Amino acid sequence: VTVRAIDAITHALAAIEHPLLLIDDIDRAGPSTQEVLLTVAADPAVACLLTGRFEHVPSIDVPDHEAFPLAGLDAAGLTELAARAGHAGDERFEVGRWLHQHTSGHPLFALELLASVGDERPWSVEGTGDDDGLALSPSLLALVRARLAAVPPSCRPLLDAAAAVGDPLDVSLLRGVVDTEQLHVLVESGILVREQGLRFAHSLVAKVAYDLVPSGRREELHHAIGLRCYDPTVRALHLSRAVDIDPDAAVAALIAAGRAAVADQAYADASAWFAQAADAAREHGWPHPEVLDLQLEAHDCDRLAGRPGHAEPLLEIAEEALRLGQAGLRRRATVSAVQLGEAVD
């Protein structure tokens, strides 16, 4: 079969004047396919261009061949790319850093990502490390999905779990929820890279891989991962994404993350955790006084963080606590409002 394939391709190329054979991702071909393609490429009458991941390209026994190792663009290269796309002044540096963060220097991904954002300027928004709200163009989505589709079906559960764990990948957490024996396959396929540990090659790949996991399966994975986490922040992040599966565990984890932030005097972070806990508790039927208590914690942390405008909600909590007969809760809310300079009867 191999000989017949070589003969058929050689015969077809012989009918073309100055044939040029382009072979992409040669490293992904099996041994037989590589033998066919490399034999054809060795024909002196055929000009051939092979591409593949450098560390996995097979030994090439082709006369007069040249190898050109290619790497992703660095921040300076991406800044130049941004400038050519019309971003001038200091903005080009912002765009360059943002592109590097999201694409790790992949030129095609960078160009497609710039086309995706249109008139928006996500690089100037606080928290641009979060890809959840990033809208990708259909062509960029198709590129990344095609790359992920090349992953063998047997590795799909591992890829889904890795996407749920997120970057950087904690292999011990991953091992707790899925068989990790084929991690090397994801590395060899270029989905994961070993850089300062193990992580996705690009945050875009991580985002699309996560979006492809069915929502129910995502919640199951976050729940399983969260229950195995000891870090209160990481535990809260995962269990809050599985709140519909286990609301009590999610609320408890959010409260623990808030208390850990208070202990670190990170009061703004603590406020966000307590507010999220209050929302989850309210939505899942917790008693009203307990929800009020969490809201009080959130507003009090805003006070400690020096944020203005929280006296009024504190007084509203005090009034609601009075109506419910929660004297202790009313006292705490009133004291917090007084500390903000409010005059209270």
Side-chain angles (χ1 to χ4, degrees), residues 25-28 34 51-60 67-72 147 183-195 198-199 201:
D25 293 331
I26 184 66
D27 55 302
R28 298 187 184 180
Q34 287 185 2
T51 71
R53 294 186 65 81
F54 184 74
E55 65 271 26
H56 302 303
V57 171
S59 175
I60 300 176
F68 299 94
L70 301 177
R147 184 168 182 179
L183 263 178
H184 67 95
V185 176
L186 297 182
V187 174
E188 290 166 3
S189 65
I191 304 299
L192 302 180
V193 293
R194 299 190 185 279
E195 293 178 359
L198 193 63
R199 61 191 310 114

Side-chain angles (χ1 to χ4, degrees), residues 32-340:
S32 297
T33 304
Q34 287 185 2
E35 181 184 350
V36 169
L37 295 175
L38 293 177
T39 301
V40 173
D43 186 341
V46 177
C48 186
L49 176 63
L50 308 174
T51 71
R53 294 186 65 81
F54 184 74
E55 65 271 26
H56 302 303
V57 171
S59 175
I60 300 176
D61 185 18
V62 177
D64 302 323
H65 79 274
E66 292 187 59
F68 299 94
L70 301 177
L73 296 176
D74 58 13
L78 289 167
T79 297
E80 182 180 347
L81 185 149
R84 292 185 180 186
H87 299 280
D90 290 341
E91 184 178 65
R92 72 185 191 276
F93 296 104
E94 288 185 67
V95 178
R97 286 191 295 268
W98 181 78
L99 288 173
H100 194 266
Q101 177 182 5
H102 288 280
T103 69
S104 296
H106 192 300
L108 184 55
F109 282 5
L111 289 169
E112 288 288 343
L113 188 54
L114 276 179
S116 293
V117 300
D119 294 331
E120 298 178 5
R121 302 174 68 254
W123 46 83
S124 63
V125 178
E126 184 179 357
T128 52
D130 184 1
D131 290 329
D132 288 348
L134 192 62
L136 305 181
S137 68
S139 55
L140 181 52
L141 273 176
L143 281 171
V144 181
R145 284 175 175 168
R147 184 168 182 179
L148 293 171
V151 172
S154 61
C155 290
R156 192 74 223 190
L158 177 57
L159 177 59
D160 290 350
V165 169
D167 276 336
L169 283 170
D170 185 330
V171 178
S172 63
L173 277 181
L174 197 58
R175 193 176 293 119
V177 297
V178 72
D179 183 357
T180 58
E181 186 177 346
Q182 297 193 78
L183 263 178
H184 67 95
V185 176
L186 297 182
V187 174
E188 290 166 3
S189 65
I191 304 299
L192 302 180
V193 293
R194 299 190 185 279
E195 293 178 359
Q196 299 178 340
L198 193 63
R199 61 191 310 114
F200 279 89
H202 314 286
S203 65
L204 292 179
V205 174
K207 172 183 168 54
V208 176
Y210 184 79
D211 290 345
L212 288 174
V213 182
S215 58
R217 180 56 180 155
R218 279 203 301 263
E219 289 187 359
E220 291 172 353
L221 286 167
H222 282 302
H223 185 248
I225 294 164
L227 292 179
R228 288 166 172 79
C229 289
Y230 294 101
D231 181 282
T233 299
V234 179
R235 184 180 179 88
L237 284 171
H238 286 290
L239 289 179
S240 65
R241 294 182 178 183
V243 65
D244 291 334
I245 292 179
D246 194 346
D248 288 350
V251 173
L254 290 164
I255 293 171
R259 288 174 178 162
V262 169
D264 291 337
Q265 297 184 343
Y267 297 117
D269 291 346
S271 173
W273 289 121
F274 284 125
Q276 193 176 348
D279 291 342
R282 184 184 64 253
E283 291 169 5
H284 290 85
W286 276 42
H288 190 40
E290 295 184 32
V291 175
L292 281 179
D293 187 270
L294 291 171
Q295 291 173 340
L296 171 57
E297 293 278 10
H299 289 302
D300 200 35
C301 286
D302 278 323
R303 175 184 65 82
L304 292 169
R307 292 175 170 177
H310 294 280
E312 185 175 342
L314 286 167
L315 291 175
E316 290 174 356
I317 291 173
E319 290 179 8
E320 183 68 8
L322 176 62
R323 187 183 69 81
L324 295 172
Q326 300 289 320
L329 184 61
R330 177 178 181 269
R331 188 180 307 110
R332 287 169 51 214
T334 303
V335 168
S336 292
V338 169
Q339 289 174 328
L340 283 171

